[in-house]
Amino acid sequence: MRPRLPANALVMQIRSQVLSSINNFFVSREFVQTQPPIITSSDCEGAGEVFKLAPQGREHHFKTEKYLTVSTQLHLEALCQAVGKVWTLSPSFRAEKSDTNRHLSEFYMLEAEVGFTQSLEDVLSLCEDLIRSIAHDFRQSRFSDEWLSTKEDIELRLLESRWKWLLNPTQWKRMSYTEAISLLQKADVPFRFKPEWGHGLQAEHERYLAENFGGTGDNSTTTAGPIFITDYPKTLKPFYMLENQGSSSASSAHGKGSETVACFDLLFPGLGEVAGGSLREHRFREIVEAMKQHGLVAQDATDDSLGSMQWYADLRRWGTIEHGGFGIGFDRLLSWLIGIENVREVVTFPRWHGKCEC
């Protein structure tokens, strides 16, 4: 019965309008929309938080164990090498047992992959332009005023400030992971988790950075707004990210002995991470070594015995292009755009840990 409530019905209409805006944006940039598979042979992120398909009787339907996808990125990499630029909005699944207002077990990922790029800035700018275009089209639609008419004064001011951040034409702030850690360590804030170089940013760290150092980086009176955090340590990120050339010196300065990778997380005030992306490792030998380091293939695996990752490695083995891309949590972005704190409220039939009733 939830969709029959007027506010929920309006959210469905807004969701439809935003989907149309996304399609128009990618058409204008000459991207090809694709439909990658939902059933996969590997865990893209390597985190192990995947739903496994149960075998029928004693035999697996696909002979070996398969999973519901956590990301379509690996398949998009294959497709972009055929047509150059691709995107998709596909269901994704995470089996993590998080019960927060930001997590779902089934959600939608907006992902894009760009061929023939050597610059992380190309990927950052594409992600920024897309989100700004979504916000612009929504603000110009009749749904934004209808939505504002349902809000109280405090909520109105919050939404208008968010839309102002997104619509500001000045480039959003960029900051390296190393710079971010330095600022967090200097902050006069009793963080629950101590910020240290080589450790992941916690939600409290992400919110602090976005609320105190985000925005456009101009001379405006507020410092809150979107912020890109770039160049994380290699040990914190998935195997497929491209190592920064000459990054070991910056890493060794922190006594970690680890390189950084050409990647980013996009943080929003009041939410934290909403998008992430990187340049991809395009060299065969390096991608195989990265798979071994992350435990995706055996240490003694040969070039022809890479198991479920053989097809992905062979994309490099038989010739590839330099490329990069990103993924945006679509439901999370939508909830922030219209000021709904719980991401479950922008999904018609939400599923989360312990909850799947219909």
Side-chain angles (χ1 to χ4, degrees):
M1 299 297 180
R2 291 175 63 251
R4 301 186 189 184
L5 296 173
N8 289 340
L10 182 54
V11 169
M12 280 197 293
Q13 293 174 296
I14 293 173
R15 190 180 180 102
S16 177
Q17 186 275 325
V18 171
L19 291 174
S20 177
S21 175
I22 292 169
N23 184 73
N24 291 338
F25 173 85
F26 281 119
V27 168
S28 71
R29 299 293 182 99
E30 298 183 333
F31 276 68
V32 177
Q33 185 176 13
T34 63
Q35 292 77 41
I38 291 175
I39 300 173
T40 69
S41 60
S42 61
D43 174 5
C44 173
E45 300 294 331
E49 298 168 338
V50 293
F51 287 102
K52 299 178 181 179
L53 299 186
Q56 295 181 339
R58 295 185 178 181
E59 296 182 359
H60 287 281
H61 184 78
F62 296 104
K63 296 184 180 180
T64 59
E65 190 170 74
K66 305 301 177 187
Y67 316 95
L68 295 181
T69 184
V70 298
S71 169
T72 63
Q73 179 207 308
L74 303 190
H75 296 92
L76 286 183
E77 288 189 51
L79 299 175
C80 91
Q81 296 183 45
V83 293
K85 298 184 290 187
V86 295
W87 75 280
T88 188
L89 182 65
S90 302
S92 297
F93 306 85
R94 294 282 172 93
E96 59 184 329
K97 297 181 180 180
S98 298
D99 187 11
T100 75
N101 64 356
R102 300 194 310 156
H103 289 89
L104 292 167
S105 297
E106 177 185 354
F107 56 97
Y108 272 77
M109 282 290 288
L110 172 57
E111 297 180 271
E113 198 72 22
V114 185
F116 302 102
T117 180
Q118 301 176 332
S119 169
L120 183 64
E121 181 58 37
D122 289 347
V123 184
L124 293 173
S125 296
L126 177 66
C127 182
E128 180 177 341
D129 290 348
L130 170 60
I131 295 176
R132 184 178 284 117
S133 176
I134 291 171
H136 174 269
D137 291 351
F138 172 63
R139 193 66 186 95
Q140 295 298 313
S141 74
R142 65 179 177 86
F143 298 114
S144 63
D145 288 336
E146 288 185 37
W147 185 249
L148 288 176
S149 70
T150 69
K151 301 299 177 183
E152 302 294 335
D153 288 344
I154 295 178
E155 293 175 310
L156 278 173
R157 289 195 293 271
L158 173 62
L159 284 176
E160 289 174 344
S161 66
R162 287 183 176 181
W163 297 346
K164 182 178 180 180
W165 293 334
L166 296 184
L167 294 175
N168 190 318
T170 308
Q171 186 182 76
W172 297 343
K173 185 72 177 291
R174 277 89 159 128
M175 178 186 296
S176 73
Y177 166 88
T178 299
E179 293 175 293
I181 290 295
S182 178
L183 290 172
L184 290 168
Q185 291 174 337
K186 295 175 183 177
D188 186 20
V189 176
F191 292 120
R192 180 182 176 188
F193 296 94
K194 182 180 178 181
E196 294 185 36
W197 202 98
H199 292 233
L201 297 179
Q202 302 296 320
E204 60 179 343
H205 303 150
E206 294 175 342
R207 288 192 292 267
Y208 175 82
L209 291 168
E211 291 164 8
N212 292 275
F213 300 98
T216 61
D218 58 16
N219 295 321
S220 59
T221 56
T222 178
T223 54
I227 181 171
F228 288 103
I229 307 297
T230 67
D231 305 311
Y232 284 73
K234 185 176 181 179
T235 54
L236 297 179
K237 291 298 182 179
F239 73 97
Y240 50 75
M241 293 187 175
L242 181 66
E243 182 179 313
N244 282 318
Q245 297 300 312
S247 64
S248 56
S249 59
S251 303
S252 61
H254 293 81
K256 303 301 178 181
S258 176
E259 298 80 7
T260 62
V261 286
C263 68
F264 74 87
D265 286 342
L266 174 59
L267 312 180
F268 276 5
L271 175 63
E273 182 186 352
V274 72
S278 74
L279 297 181
R280 320 306 192 189
E281 177 54 73
H282 56 277
R283 299 164 295 181
F284 176 72
R285 187 55 52 204
E286 284 76 4
I287 200 69
V288 171
E289 183 59 31
M291 291 176 184
K292 292 180 179 179
Q293 291 177 0
H294 284 76
L296 296 177
V297 299
Q299 289 295 322
D300 60 352
T302 66
D303 293 351
D304 296 307
S305 64
L306 300 176
S308 63
M309 300 304 297
Q310 186 73 55
W311 72 274
Y312 183 73
D314 283 349
L315 292 176
R316 279 77 173 158
R317 185 180 188 181
W318 307 119
T320 189
I321 57 175
E322 294 167 319
H323 58 288
F326 62 84
I328 298 174
F330 174 73
D331 306 297
R332 194 177 285 188
L333 173 63
L334 182 61
S335 68
W336 189 87
L337 180 65
I338 61 178
I340 292 182
E341 291 188 4
N342 196 325
V343 70
R344 300 167 188 170
E345 299 302 318
V346 300
V347 178
T348 50
F349 298 99
R351 281 84 166 87
W352 66 92
H353 177 58
K355 184 70 172 180
C356 182
E357 304 299 332
C358 58

